[in-house]
Amino acid sequence: MKRREFVGGLAAAAGLAACASEKDGNGAGASNSTEVFEWSCVTSWPPRFPGLGMGVENLAERIERASAGRLKIKVYGGGELVPAFEVFDAVSRGAVEMGHDASYYHKGKVDAAQFFTAIPFGMNKTELEAWLYYGGGLALWRELYEPFNLMPFPCGNTGVQMGGWFNKEIRTIDDLRGLKMRIPGLGGEVLRRAGGTPVTLPGSEIFTSLQTGAIDATEWVGPYNDVSFGLHKAARNYYYPGWQEPGPGLECIINREAWATLPPDLQAIVEITCQSITTDMAAEYTNGNANALQQLQEDPNVTIRTFPDTVLRHLKAIAKEVVADMMANDPAAKKIGDAYYEYLAKVEVNSRISEDAYLSTRTW
């Protein structure tokens, strides 16, 4: 009896919450709880690709199950419905209801969006999520995307990535001069100022470009995804750490008009599921990277190397200049950047005496 009363109380509370949301204007025009919605979701990833591609497939599957089939989402890989780097535009104009990509792909269109994926030498996964969910970052993100008719949600994170695959050893900063490297976002601009040539390529084109010499180096994600693409067969030198992407977050973007048609309970299901995918994806990458790294360590044709300290210090100095210039030229980037670095200055103190301090003891 007590259990039935408890469940009944939860149902009543949910009903009151839904009514309150509708009264506040959330989910306006969508009060029919039996209505079925069928959406399309475009992505920047190869279809059903481990981690990135499967993350959005899992998102769609879990939303459909949690909603008892009331919200069905058909996922399209990069290039299947729209080109891999046109997800933002497709969702913005309402050609599809949903998209899944990385916000730094919008460099040149919405420069400030890069703060929500990765800043070179910036926040790691844990710090970024803390800023988004509890430090005001998500509110700034939604404010930035509102003029584009988009509602963004954090939806996935790979954790710190690798520095990339190179066809030659990197001993000094001079070895980066003239280097053609697939590297997106602000990391690409850092490479350019270091004397290299950044190239933007979708994941599906990386292996062939590296193998044929169209590019000299590439960063992609980490061992889990890099082995899936066979990048270890196209270059020998595998560098760490991933200074360019210390904890890159992915985004689920939803057309605001489509979002408004959903009743409050479906909106809640979408939001909660996006957050659960972030947790799940991080666990998948931790496991997948560990297994794939072991494979690479046993491969006699692969040499795993760390970037020299002198190279990292030089790249870090350039990264500061790149971000400062972006903030100086874009009021939105200035506003978001100020908030980002204010939070980083606070959270990194805790990271230093907790995660960093503990991990250093495990090498004793």
Side-chain angles (χ1 to χ4, degrees), residues 115-116 123 127-146 150-155 250-253 256 259 271-272 274-275 278 336 339-340 343:
F115 283 103
F116 304 108
M123 294 189 199
E127 294 164 341
L128 179 65
E129 290 173 11
W131 177 57
L132 291 175
Y133 288 119
Y134 290 97
L138 184 54
L140 291 171
W141 196 357
R142 289 179 174 168
E143 179 183 297
L144 180 68
Y145 277 19
E146 187 170 4
L150 294 172
M151 174 72 81
F153 298 86
C155 190
L250 305 179
E251 65 179 6
C252 172
I253 48 177
R256 280 185 170 270
W259 175 251
E271 188 159 16
I272 293 168
C274 283
Q275 190 167 3
T278 300
I336 295 170
Y340 180 98
Y343 194 83

Side-chain angles (χ1 to χ4, degrees), residues 42 55 92 159 164 255 271 286 312 335 341:
V42 293
S92 176
N255 179 275
E271 188 159 16
T286 299
L312 289 173
K335 179 179 179 179
Y341 282 107

Side-chain angles (χ1 to χ4, degrees), residues 34 42 46 51 91 99 102 106 125 138 157 174 205 220-221 238 243 260 269 280-281 284 288 306 317 334 354 356:
T34 63
V42 293
V91 182
H106 318 321
K125 171 193 175 292
L138 184 54
N157 196 303
D174 289 337
E205 298 178 19
W220 175 227
V221 181
Y238 198 26
W243 58 270
I269 286 172
D280 185 70
M281 187 180 291
E284 180 182 358
T306 181
K334 177 68 166 60
S354 57
D356 294 353

